[in-house]
Amino acid sequence: MNKFVGSRNCTVRLFSRYLFCLFVLMAILLVGCNKSSDSVVLPVPEVGVLKAAVAAIPLDLNYTAHTRGIREIEVRSRVSGILFKRHYREGSYVNAGDLLFEIDPAPFAAEVERAKSQLAVARAQLAEATKLRDRLAALLTKQAVAEHDYDVAETRYEAAKATVAAAQASLRRAELDLGYTRVTAPISGFTSCEVRSEGSLVEAGAESSLLTTITQDDRLYVDFSMPEDEARQIRTALALNPDAVRVRLIVGGGAEIPDTARIEFIDTRVAVDTSTVNVRAVFDNRANKRLKNSNVHLSPGQYVRVRMEGLMSAPAVNIPSRAIMFGADGTFVWILDDKNVVKPRPVRLGPIRGNLVEIAAGLTAGDRVVIDGILKVKPDAPVKPVNIILEAKPKDVKGEAS
C-alpha cells in the first residue's frame, strides 16, 4: 500500500514539472513573436490626390423635350356641301397648292350661271338707261325737254350702273364659292388622317368644316421646362452673347442630331406646382431631313432629350463626389499636409454636377485632397501621393504618377 502511494506521488510531481516547463516554453515563444511582429514595418499606402483649384466647369444640363411643327394648319372647308373626293394619301407630304379634297361642285356651278344671267340683265338695263339719258341730254340743250325728265333719266342710269356692279360682285362671289369646292394645301408639310370621309356633309363655319391638318416640319419647335435658377443662368448668358448657349438634341437610342437648336424664348413666369420655367428652342430640320441615317430623323410630336452646351458654372472648387466622407460631425475630406500626412478637413457642399460636387466652404486653392484609395488612409498617417488631373468636363479624372 505504501509502495503504491509513493509511486503515485512521484508521478504527480513529474507531471507538474512537465506542465511548468510547457508554460515557460509557451511564454518564451509568445515574447519572441511579439518582438518579431514589432520589428515588421508596413509599406506606406499609395493614394490618388487631387490638387484643389478654383475654376469654372461646363454645366451638364439635360431635360426631356417635345417637338412640334413651327406651323400646324387646320385645313377647313370654306363652303357647305357634300365631300365629293379625297385626292391625297393620309400622312403623306404635300406641297402648297396641291389638291386635297373636292366638294360637290354642281350647286355652285349652277349659282355661277345664275349670277352670269343676272349680270347680263343688269348690263342690258344699263345700256337702255344710258341711251335714254344721252337722248334727253341732247334735247335738254335745245330746251325741248323738261329738266325734270332729264333728272329722272340720270337717276335711272346711276341705278342701272349700281345694279351692274352688284351683279358683278354676285358673280365673283359665286365663282369664289365654286373655286372653294377644290380644297388645296395652304402650306407644304405632312398631312394627318382625314377628319371627314367622302360623302359626309360639311358646313362652313362649323366644326364639321375641319377636313385635315398639315404640319410643316422644315423648322421645329423644341419645348421643355427647366428649374428657375438654371433658366436665370441661361438668360444671363444669352444676354451677354446670343450664340453662347446651344441646344443639342438626342433621340431614342442615344443618337445625337448633328445640328444644334437655338433658344428662342424663355418664359418669365414660374410654374407654381413645379417651380420650373417653360423654354422653347427652334431647330432647322431642313438639313437634318436630307440625312440618310434614319436614327437621327426628327418629326413633329417626337419626345427627345436636350443637352445644353456652352454654359459654364461660376468659378469654384470642384472635386469628385467619391472624395466626400460622412462622419458624426458632418461631411469632410482627407487632405495631405506638406509631409504627406493625412488630416481630416470639414467641408460644406454646394451643387452637384454629374460626378463632381462644388465645395462651398472648407477648401482653398492648393489643398491636396485624397480621392482614390480612401480606404487605405488613417488619420495622422503618412501616404504616398499620386497626382490626379481633373478633366475639363465633369465626368472622370485621370492620374499621373508623382
Side-chain angles (χ1 to χ4, degrees):
M1 183 69 178
N2 291 332
K3 281 185 178 182
F4 176 75
V5 173
S7 176
R8 183 179 178 183
N9 291 336
C10 182
T11 302
V12 171
R13 286 194 299 271
L14 290 175
F15 183 71
S16 299
R17 291 175 181 177
Y18 172 76
L19 289 177
F20 177 76
C21 293
L22 181 62
F23 287 145
V24 172
L25 180 61
M26 291 178 64
I28 294 173
L29 290 175
L30 288 175
V31 172
C33 290
N34 289 335
K35 289 183 178 181
S36 62
S37 62
D38 292 340
S39 63
V40 175
V41 178
L42 297 177
V44 177
E46 186 177 275
V47 296
V49 176
L50 174 68
K51 191 173 184 180
V54 176
I57 63 173
L59 295 182
D60 189 16
L61 306 179
N62 293 268
Y63 312 97
T64 300
H66 178 258
T67 63
R68 60 185 176 92
I70 201 168
R71 295 183 68 189
E72 297 179 351
I73 304 298
E74 293 183 342
V75 180
R76 294 182 176 270
S77 172
R78 303 178 69 171
V79 293
S80 301
I82 301 298
L83 191 60
F84 189 62
K85 189 176 183 181
R86 172 168 57 86
H87 292 270
Y88 75 98
R89 183 170 55 85
E90 294 172 298
S92 63
Y93 185 87
V94 296
N95 294 308
D98 287 351
L99 179 62
L100 303 180
F101 296 94
E102 189 176 356
I103 297 172
D104 185 8
F108 302 95
E111 184 65 22
V112 170
E113 295 301 324
R114 188 186 67 83
K116 287 181 178 180
S117 64
Q118 287 182 341
L119 178 59
V121 171
R123 284 174 174 171
Q125 292 175 347
L126 176 60
E128 181 184 359
T130 303
K131 291 178 182 179
L132 178 60
R133 185 202 62 169
D134 293 343
R135 187 184 312 114
L136 293 180
L139 294 175
L140 184 63
T141 58
K142 299 177 181 180
Q143 297 182 349
V145 66
E147 186 173 350
H148 173 72
D149 294 338
Y150 174 78
D151 292 340
V152 172
E154 181 69 20
T155 300
R156 289 178 178 175
Y157 167 75
E158 295 296 335
K161 282 178 59 178
T163 302
V164 170
Q168 289 175 335
S170 297
L171 177 59
R172 285 196 298 271
R173 177 64 184 181
E175 291 174 341
L176 283 174
D177 289 344
L178 179 60
Y180 290 153
T181 61
R182 294 173 58 85
V183 182
T184 58
I187 62 172
S188 300
F190 285 94
T191 58
S192 68
C193 62
E194 63 176 7
V195 181
R196 299 285 180 269
S197 60
E198 298 172 352
S200 300
L201 174 65
V202 295
E203 298 182 13
E207 184 61 30
S208 63
S209 65
L210 179 61
L211 303 178
T212 187
T213 58
I214 298 178
T215 302
Q216 195 173 53
D217 69 339
D218 288 345
R219 298 174 69 215
L220 296 176
Y221 283 139
V222 183
D223 297 325
F224 55 98
S225 299
M226 64 173 59
E228 190 275 335
D229 57 338
E230 294 176 359
R232 183 169 58 252
Q233 288 179 293
I234 294 177
R235 193 181 290 112
T236 302
L238 292 176
L240 298 176
N241 182 6
D243 299 324
V245 182
R246 300 172 300 278
V247 181
R248 178 71 62 184
L249 306 183
I250 305 170
V251 298
E256 292 189 357
I257 303 299
D259 296 328
T260 57
R262 175 179 52 84
I263 294 179
E264 183 184 69
F265 167 75
I266 301 178
D267 203 347
T268 56
R269 296 177 299 177
V270 181
V272 178
D273 52 346
T274 60
S275 296
T276 58
V277 174
N278 293 328
V279 182
R280 184 177 68 204
V282 178
F283 179 72
D284 190 346
N285 201 31
R286 288 171 292 188
N288 183 61
K289 286 170 61 178
R290 291 194 293 267
L291 296 177
K292 302 301 182 182
N293 188 355
S294 59
N295 293 330
V296 293
H297 179 68
L298 274 184
S299 300
Q302 187 173 353
Y303 281 95
V304 298
R305 188 160 52 91
V306 299
R307 184 176 69 242
M308 313 303 295
E309 295 182 348
L311 196 63
M312 304 293 291
S313 69
V317 174
N318 293 273
I319 63 174
S321 56
R322 63 179 182 270
I324 305 300
M325 307 298 294
F326 299 90
D329 298 329
T331 55
F332 67 94
V333 296
W334 295 112
I335 66 169
L336 301 186
D337 60 12
D338 53 355
K339 297 180 180 179
N340 294 333
V341 175
V342 178
K343 303 286 184 181
R345 174 74 64 81
V347 293
R348 181 162 56 88
L349 305 183
I352 299 176
R353 303 183 179 95
N355 66 344
L356 296 181
V357 58
E358 181 180 314
I359 304 301
L363 288 180
T364 58
D367 289 338
R368 294 186 298 164
V369 183
V370 178
I371 65 172
D372 288 331
I374 293 179
L375 298 179
K376 304 176 185 178
V377 303
K378 295 180 180 179
D380 300 320
V383 293
K384 179 181 179 182
V386 175
N387 292 333
I388 300 295
I389 300 175
L390 187 65
E391 290 185 349
K393 293 185 178 181
K395 291 183 179 180
D396 284 318
V397 291
K398 55 185 179 180
E400 278 188 1
S402 59

